[in-house]
């Protein structure tokens, strides 16, 4: 789409905000770390484990500044942004350790400030402020909409919905869509019905059996105080990409509301939060398509002053504890393959990008289980109450051993059409099932009056990549 006057105003505003941030950070070095991922990706657990490990004393042998003793202490500071909710760290920690349950999923943006007192490698004492910004990955999916017209978005959404297994999930919405004439007069009731059915389709796609979450608009499933407003009441129509909506038509009504969604929902998030990030970790899902919205590139004096950029992005495959360690390298290879284009683009701009398989809180242990004459590399853990496998239901207290299987040495077949991974089902695509056994957080023993350390897999490697250079 053409570069509009509104885009110019937005760029000027971003540059002015970057100038203010640069002046503040010059005297008080600050890193704004964005943490995102789709629902159930583990954002809340990651942030809680990161803060707990740094403030309480975690086991981080790969995090050089911590392992070498150069970090004197890390402590929480008052929330820096009066308009953003504070990340409920204490509640989440209590859920993990005392209640042995996973915290509730992220449904809104939140923030927390961590101050790290450390000694530089040359011996000088310094302080680094780490502002951690937690936001739903579904919001991130909306950013590409800023560069799309309603017609482009409609065409893309409809094309996806007509492919298996989405077509099966979109049957009711498609039936209603067939009754709509885009050039007809605008019709509030027809629009409400279309939006309701389209939202139902998005919700069905996000169901854990299908695990198809990369579908904007993200706020349709997390409306908050915008529920039932016109900005969240629209749906795709079968219209030509280069077409022009007649005045007063249903098509024009949809266009107007699509643009309102961008102005009311997407742009404020981009301006006020996303464009100010310095570092970013994307958990679990390979959101390569959204990298067009990252201002990636190596930070320099001028770029920090005039063009805010994210200069490091870490893609993390979470729940590595659901696999035996012998498959962790293969899990990283799968994720790296999924973000290949993103990696190339980031490297071309000078930004650094990495991929890691991790578990911010490790819920399982490893074991060798005899199976006939073979010994299978297995994991031991306590499935959550109500979980089932092989017809057996678990009570939430019984520890079980399970063989998670092996990932292929070559990830390419997983991305090739009929050979692609279909989860737990070998039936037709619409009957695919991507659910896996969910384990409770581990039972931990207190060490005196202190909170116990949270076991993890490669959380220290993630910290080293994300902030290690700032503590050198």
């Amino acid at each position: 789409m053409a570069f509009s006057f509104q885009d110019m105003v937005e760029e000027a505003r971003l540059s002015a905000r970057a100038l203010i941030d640069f002046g503040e950070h010059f005297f008080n070095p600050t890193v704004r770390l964005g943490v995102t991922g789709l629902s159930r990706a583990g954002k809340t657990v990651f942030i809680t484990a990161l803060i707990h490990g740094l403030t309480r004393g975690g086991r981080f042998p790969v995090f050089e500044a911590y392992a070498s003793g150069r970090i004197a202490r890390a402590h929480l500071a008052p929330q820096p942004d009066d308009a953003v909710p504070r990340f409920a760290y204490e509640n989440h920690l209590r859920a993990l350790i005392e209640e042995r349950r996973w915290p509730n999923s992220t449904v809104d943006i939140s923030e927390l400030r961590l101050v790290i007192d450390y000694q530089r490698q040359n011996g000088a004492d310094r302080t680094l402020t780490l502002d951690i910004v937690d936001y739903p990955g579904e919001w991130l999916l909306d950013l590409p909409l800023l560069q799309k017209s309603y017609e482009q978005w409609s065409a893309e959404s409809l094309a996806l919905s007509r492919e298996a297994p989405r077509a099966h999930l979109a049957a009711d919405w498609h039936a209603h869509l067939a009754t709509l004439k885009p050039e007809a007069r605008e019709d509030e009731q027809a629009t409400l019905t279309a939006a309701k059915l389209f939202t139902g389709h998005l919700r069905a796609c996000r169901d854990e059996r299908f695990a198809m979450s990369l579908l904007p608009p993200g706020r349709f499933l997390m409306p908050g105080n915008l529920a039932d407003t016109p900005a969240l009441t629209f749906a795709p129509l079968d219209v030509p990409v280069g077409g022009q909506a007649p005045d007063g038509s249903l098509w024009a009504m949809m266009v107007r509301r699509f643009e309102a969604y961008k102005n009311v929902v997407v742009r404020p998030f981009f301006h006020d939060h996303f464009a100010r990030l310095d570092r970013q970790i994307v958990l679990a899902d390979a959101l390569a398509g959204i990298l067009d919205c990252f201002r990636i590139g190596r930070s320099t004096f001028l770029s920090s002053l005039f063009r805010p950029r994210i200069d490091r992005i870490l893609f993390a495959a979470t729940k590595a504890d659901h696999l035996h360690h012998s498959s962790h390298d293969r899990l990283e290879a799968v994720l790296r393959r999924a973000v290949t284009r993103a990696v190339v683009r980031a490297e071309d701009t000078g930004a650094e990008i990495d991929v890691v398989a991790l578990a911010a809180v490790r819920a399982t242990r490893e074991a060798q289980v005899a199976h006939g004459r073979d010994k299978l590399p297995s994991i031991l853990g306590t499935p959550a109450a109500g979980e089932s496998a092989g017809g057996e239901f678990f009570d939430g207290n019984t520890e079980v051993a399970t063989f998670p299987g092996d990932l292929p040495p070559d990830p390419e077949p997983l991305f090739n059409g009929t050979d692609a991974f279909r989860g737990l089902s070998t039936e037709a695509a619409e009957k695919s099932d991507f659910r896996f056994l969910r384990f409770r957080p581990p039972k931990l023993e207190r060490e005196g009056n202190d909170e116990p350390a949270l076991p993890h897999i490669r959380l220290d490697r993630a910290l080293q990549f994300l902030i290690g250079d700032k503590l050198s």
Side-chain angles (χ1 to χ4, degrees):
M1 298 178 68
F3 195 72
S4 66
F5 176 74
Q6 184 178 16
D7 293 326
M8 295 174 63
V9 172
E10 291 171 357
E11 288 295 312
R13 179 182 174 187
L14 288 176
S15 295
R17 184 61 176 268
L19 181 61
I20 295 172
D21 287 345
F22 180 84
E24 293 176 349
H25 297 174
F26 186 82
F27 296 101
N28 181 24
T30 300
V31 172
R32 290 183 62 82
L33 171 63
V35 180
T36 197
L38 300 180
S39 295
R40 298 182 294 272
K43 299 179 294 296
T44 302
V45 175
F46 175 85
I47 296 173
T48 302
L50 181 156
I51 296 168
H52 184 61
L54 290 178
T55 57
R56 180 255 177 230
R59 300 181 180 95
F60 296 147
V62 178
F63 185 27
E64 187 276 330
Y66 193 93
S68 65
R70 293 193 295 106
I71 293 182
R73 72 165 185 149
H75 60 96
L76 294 174
Q79 160 72 333
D81 193 332
D82 294 334
V84 178
R86 181 182 183 273
F87 180 82
Y89 163 69
E90 294 81 5
N91 292 341
H92 300 322
L93 185 66
R94 189 180 308 113
L96 284 170
I97 295 179
E98 298 181 10
E99 302 172 23
R100 291 187 64 198
R101 65 172 179 83
W102 302 110
N104 295 330
S105 297
T106 299
V107 296
D108 205 343
I109 193 166
S110 64
E111 193 173 5
L112 197 65
R113 171 164 284 183
L114 185 69
V115 177
I116 303 173
D117 298 326
Y118 71 101
Q119 186 178 71
R120 296 190 62 186
Q121 290 177 341
N122 64 9
D125 292 332
R126 291 288 185 269
T127 296
L128 176 71
T129 299
L130 181 64
D131 287 339
I132 304 172
V133 183
D134 174 31
Y135 64 94
E138 286 78 1
W139 295 15
L140 198 61
L141 296 176
D142 284 341
L143 295 184
L145 298 180
L146 294 175
Q147 304 302 321
K148 294 178 183 179
S149 66
Y150 169 78
E151 291 75 18
Q152 289 172 319
W153 169 74
S154 286
E156 292 173 4
S157 299
L158 286 170
L160 282 174
S161 72
R162 287 165 177 160
E163 296 176 358
R166 291 184 177 93
H168 173 74
L169 304 175
D172 291 342
W173 167 42
H174 284 170
H176 178 70
L177 178 66
T179 68
L180 301 178
K181 296 181 179 180
E183 293 82 6
R185 297 296 302 172
E186 58 185 28
D187 186 331
E188 185 70 52
Q189 292 306 310
T191 301
L192 288 170
T193 301
K196 180 179 179 180
L197 292 172
F198 176 58
T199 302
H201 166 64
L202 296 180
R203 184 171 291 109
C205 287
R206 200 175 72 166
D207 186 278
E208 61 183 2
R209 289 176 299 158
F210 305 102
M212 297 179 297
S213 300
L214 305 180
L215 298 171
R219 295 294 182 91
F220 273 40
L221 301 182
M222 296 180 176
N225 60 1
L226 292 174
D228 300 323
T229 62
L232 266 66
T233 309
F234 62 92
L237 290 174
D238 239 332
V239 293
V241 171
Q244 184 69 35
D247 291 342
S249 64
L250 178 65
W251 181 358
M253 183 181 188
M254 295 289 193
V255 170
R256 185 173 65 252
R257 294 185 174 186
F258 177 78
E259 293 300 323
Y261 182 84
K262 292 196 290 185
N263 291 330
V264 173
V265 175
V266 185
R267 282 194 172 92
F269 166 62
F270 180 74
H271 293 154
D272 299 335
H273 307 291
F274 186 76
R276 299 176 60 203
L277 298 178
D278 304 304
R279 303 282 166 91
Q280 176 73 52
I281 179 169
V282 182
L283 296 171
D285 295 279
L287 310 182
I290 54 81
L291 276 191
D292 286 339
C293 294
F294 282 98
R295 294 174 176 272
I296 55 178
R298 183 182 294 112
S299 286
T300 64
F301 179 86
L302 291 178
S303 69
S304 298
L305 193 58
F306 297 110
R307 298 281 295 180
R309 294 179 186 271
I310 294 174
D311 60 4
R312 289 196 178 194
I313 304 173
L314 180 64
F315 286 95
T318 58
K319 301 180 179 67
D321 55 338
H322 285 53
L323 292 172
H324 191 269
H325 77 269
S326 57
S327 287
H328 289 175
D329 289 346
R330 296 180 179 186
L331 179 59
E332 290 184 2
V334 170
L335 184 56
R336 187 172 293 277
R337 165 60 179 81
V339 297
T340 297
R341 286 183 296 175
V343 170
V344 171
R345 180 172 180 267
E347 290 175 343
D348 286 345
T349 65
E352 293 188 50
I353 191 166
D354 199 5
V355 172
V356 63
L358 62 78
V361 174
R362 183 173 188 165
T364 66
R365 298 175 287 114
E366 294 188 350
Q368 295 287 328
V369 176
H371 182 70
R373 295 184 177 180
D374 298 325
K375 286 191 177 294
L376 300 179
S378 305
I379 56 175
L380 293 169
T382 304
E387 289 289 294
S388 64
E392 180 180 1
F393 287 84
F394 301 102
D395 59 8
N397 297 310
T398 305
E399 187 175 64
V400 301
T402 181
F403 172 58
D406 296 316
L407 290 173
D410 179 9
E412 200 60 37
L414 298 178
F415 297 86
N416 293 336
T418 56
D419 293 329
F421 177 59
R422 291 187 180 180
L424 307 182
S425 174
T426 57
E427 301 185 53
E430 62 270 14
K431 295 184 179 180
S432 297
D433 194 335
F434 292 90
R435 289 173 292 179
F436 290 89
L437 206 57
R438 288 179 177 168
F439 295 97
R440 295 182 65 189
K443 185 177 182 179
L444 303 174
E445 299 296 333
R446 287 184 177 273
E447 302 173 5
N449 294 324
D450 294 332
E451 296 287 356
L454 294 170
H456 66 88
I457 297 175
R458 298 188 184 88
L459 179 59
D460 50 346
R461 178 176 150 188
L463 282 168
Q464 179 62 27
F465 177 80
L466 291 168
I467 62 173
D469 63 312
K470 298 294 185 180
L471 300 170
S472 60

